[in-house]
Amino acid sequence: DAKTTQPTSMDCAEGRAANLPCNHSTISGNEYVYWYRQIHSQGPQYIIHGLKNNETNEMASLIITEDRKSSTLILPHATLRDTAVYYCIHGGSNYKLTFGKGTLLTVNP
Amino acid sequence: NAGVTQTPKFQVLKTGQSMTLQCAQDMNHEYMSWYRQDPGMGLRLIHYSVGAGITDQGEVPNGYNVSRSTTEDFPLRLLSAAPSQTSVYFCASSYRTSGGISSYNEQFFGPGTRLTVL
C-alpha cells in the first residue's frame, strides 16, 4: 500500500502561510504526489500534484524534496475557509488513491 | 456541467435489504470509482472502472457490486446490507492526460451518500 505520514492536526493564523508536511519514504520513481482536502463532510477536492519539480497553481504550492521522500503543501495566505482535512497521497494512477487520515488544518481568526 | 452527481443523499436500510447508489458524471471521464469513508477515517476504495464495460476491485469490495454500461453512469449495488456498511459513500471520476509520462489528473468527487444500516 502507498502510505504517507502526516501530522494529525495543525493550526494556522488567518492571513499567514500554512505549511503542511508529508513523509512518503516508500514512493517509487514513477509515482506522483497528490494533495486533496476535505471540508467538513463534503467530497474531497483536488489541490495539486507533482512528480519531481515544485509546482504552483492558484490554490497552493507544492515543494518536493530532491530525494522525493517528503513534500510540503503551502497555502500562502490561509483563510477561514481553508479549514479542512488535508490528504497527502502518492500513486502511479490517480484512480487508485489510498487516503490516510490526513492533517486537520484549523485556521484561526 | 453538473460534474459528479450522487443519489440519494441520505438512505436508511434494514439489515438484509438491497439497494443501488447512483453515480453519474457529465464530463466524459474514462475513470470512475467508489470510496467509502467511515467516521474519523480516510477514504477506502471499493471498486473502480477504467472505461465502459471494465470494472475492477479496490481495497474493500466485499458486499458490493458495480457495472459500467455507459461512460456516464457507475452504480454501486449493495447486495444484502449489513450494519458494517454504514458509511458515507463517495463516487469520483477522472481522466487521463495524453502523451509523456502516464499521468492521471485530478479526481472529481461527488457530494456523497450517507447510508445507515440498522
Side-chain angles (χ1 to χ4, degrees):
Chain A
D1 288 349
K3 299 294 186 185
T4 60
T5 303
Q6 299 178 253
T8 302
S9 63
M10 296 182 64
D11 287 307
C12 177
E14 188 177 19
R16 304 297 293 268
N19 295 276
L20 289 85
C22 178
N23 287 325
H24 33 79
S25 58
T26 61
I27 194 170
S28 61
N30 63 349
E31 289 185 325
Y32 284 78
V33 177
Y34 299 90
W35 283 83
Y36 283 76
R37 73 180 183 183
Q38 188 173 25
I39 297 174
H40 194 44
S41 299
Q42 300 176 19
Q45 176 190 23
Y46 165 86
I47 301 173
I48 198 167
H49 76 286
L51 185 63
K52 295 180 181 178
N53 301 319
N54 298 336
E55 302 288 344
T56 295
N57 63 20
E58 64 278 5
M59 290 182 67
S61 295
L62 174 61
I63 308 297
I64 303 173
T65 57
E66 192 170 343
D67 64 6
R68 300 205 332 117
K69 293 185 177 181
S70 65
S71 62
T72 300
L73 178 75
I74 300 172
L75 308 178
H77 305 287
T79 70
L80 299 179
R81 288 175 294 182
D82 292 322
T83 292
V85 177
Y86 288 77
Y87 298 99
C88 166
I89 300 155
H90 65 88
S93 23
N94 200 12
Y95 60 89
K96 291 185 69 176
L97 301 178
T98 298
F99 287 78
K101 294 186 180 181
T103 296
L104 172 60
L105 174 69
T106 303
V107 181
N108 300 305
Chain B
N1 286 350
V4 179
T5 57
Q6 293 184 237
T7 55
K9 287 186 169 57
F10 301 93
Q11 183 69 51
V12 178
L13 293 177
K14 294 181 179 178
T15 297
Q17 287 185 315
S18 63
M19 80 159 294
T20 299
L21 279 65
Q22 300 292 342
C23 175
Q25 53 91 9
D26 60 359
M27 298 172 282
N28 201 32
H29 285 172
E30 298 170 275
Y31 308 106
M32 297 187 73
S33 51
W34 276 102
Y35 294 85
R36 62 175 287 175
Q37 185 173 33
D38 300 324
M41 304 292 290
L43 282 72
R44 292 184 292 171
L45 182 65
I46 305 172
H47 285 286
Y48 65 95
S49 168
V50 300
I54 306 170
T55 64
D56 206 345
Q57 296 180 348
E59 181 185 357
V60 288
N62 292 340
Y64 308 95
N65 274 357
V66 292
S67 60
R68 185 95 180 271
S69 57
T70 67
T71 299
E72 295 78 18
D73 300 298
F74 191 43
L76 177 72
R77 281 182 289 278
L78 279 71
L79 309 173
S80 177
S84 61
Q85 293 179 304
T86 294
S87 190
V88 181
Y89 292 83
F90 291 102
C91 178
S93 71
S94 185
Y95 61 96
R96 181 174 182 173
T97 55
S98 59
I101 297 173
S102 172
S103 173
Y104 298 86
N105 287 320
E106 60 185 289
Q107 285 203 29
F108 295 79
F109 283 82
T113 293
R114 284 145 184 81
L115 175 68
T116 300
V117 182
L118 303 175

